[in-house]
Amino acid sequence: AKSLVIAIDGPAAAGKGTLAKRLSEHYHLPYLDTGLLYRGIGKLAFERGVDLDDPVATGEIARGLEPAHLDEPPLRGHEAGERASRVAVHPPVRQALEDFQRAFAAGPKGAVLDGRDIGTVICPGADVKIFVTASAEVRARRRTDELAAKGRPPEYERILAEVKERDARDAGRATAPLKPAADAHLLDTSEMDIETAFQTACGLIDRSL
Ligand code: C5P
């Protein structure tokens, strides 16, 4: 059977991860959350007292990244995301991760990868590219509700400011900025629940097979 590579990109908190994971289960493909790689590097740099804005030192950490560094729940939090987006601006960091991501996508069945530059840089030849968006307000609202469900106080305004700050850094950087590939399908989930987003994505994928 032919392999299938699905590239899912989009801004923070757009629901990419949930969607990508469901698609990987539905199409029986391995799944790589590439944000986790940048989160792991940011975390290691922070723990080792390395300057997150130093491209050479963080690039060295990126070259030594191992799977064991990525298996930790704290990597999911907001702080880890901030550190990730600071180290992710450096070309040596991005370069160190390229081969691993491309090799993952080149497996016999194909793969689902989610991130910021999968359709543009890592897998420009992906079979299907989906750029998942939602308004900053909707993303901040979803994140606020998620945190509230875990018993944290609602801080919508602060979270909205953080979402906008991360968008600006990811879209504004010189290397591999967040943007849809020319041939990506745009999936705006502002007024969709996850089930509808999933069904819509399956429709796009099935049509392109
Ligand atoms: O997707 P997630 O929020 O886990 O990603 C954390 C940060 O890592 C992003 O804000 C972005 O700066 C960086 N990233 C990236 N390229 C990717 C995946 C993540 O630059 N492919």
Side-chain angles (χ1 to χ4, degrees):
K2 192 182 161 297
S3 78
L4 175 61
V5 175
I6 303 174
I8 309 285
D9 290 300
K16 295 185 303 293
T18 312
L19 178 65
K21 199 160 190 308
R22 282 198 62 181
L23 291 173
S24 75
E25 286 159 6
H26 182 76
Y27 292 98
H28 305 287
L29 297 171
Y31 165 51
L32 181 63
D33 169 0
T34 66
L36 210 49
L37 305 173
Y38 295 90
R39 286 168 182 262
I41 295 162
K43 173 173 177 286
L44 284 179
F46 177 74
E47 284 174 355
R48 294 176 188 173
V50 164
D51 181 0
L52 297 176
D53 300 319
D54 179 340
V56 176
T58 53
E60 208 159 297
I61 290 178
R63 286 195 299 279
L65 193 70
E66 289 172 23
H69 297 138
L70 304 177
D71 199 15
E72 292 171 53
L75 282 184
R76 299 285 171 191
H78 165 71
E79 293 269 281
E82 269 304 299
R83 288 178 195 130
S85 83
R86 279 175 65 189
V87 300
V89 305
H90 306 311
V93 168
R94 307 199 68 86
Q95 217 168 352
L97 301 177
E98 268 184 19
D99 289 348
F100 172 75
Q101 294 175 86
R102 291 203 176 117
F104 190 94
K109 294 164 79 173
V112 180
L113 290 86
D114 86 51
R116 302 292 185 288
D117 64 338
I118 307 304
T120 51
V121 175
I122 301 299
C123 302
D127 299 286
V128 189
K129 301 176 184 180
I130 302 178
F131 194 85
V132 185
T133 56
S135 70
E137 288 73 18
V138 166
R139 288 182 283 133
R141 170 53 57 199
R142 286 181 188 156
R143 181 144 290 176
T144 305
D145 292 348
E146 253 171 53
L147 291 173
K150 293 182 191 161
R152 307 259 213 92
E155 293 184 278
Y156 172 78
E157 292 300 335
R158 184 181 59 77
I159 291 171
L160 178 61
E162 287 169 358
V163 162
K164 288 182 172 170
E165 191 189 334
R166 183 110 73 89
D167 284 359
R169 190 185 288 133
D170 287 349
R173 70 186 175 213
T175 308
L178 168 70
K179 66 163 184 224
D183 53 350
H185 300 277
L186 296 187
L187 180 59
D188 185 336
T189 68
S190 297
E191 309 201 349
M192 281 181 196
D193 58 17
I194 175 64
E195 186 57 33
T196 310
F198 171 69
Q199 296 298 342
T200 308
C202 287
L204 293 171
I205 294 164
D206 292 343
R207 245 176 289 144
S208 65
L209 292 182

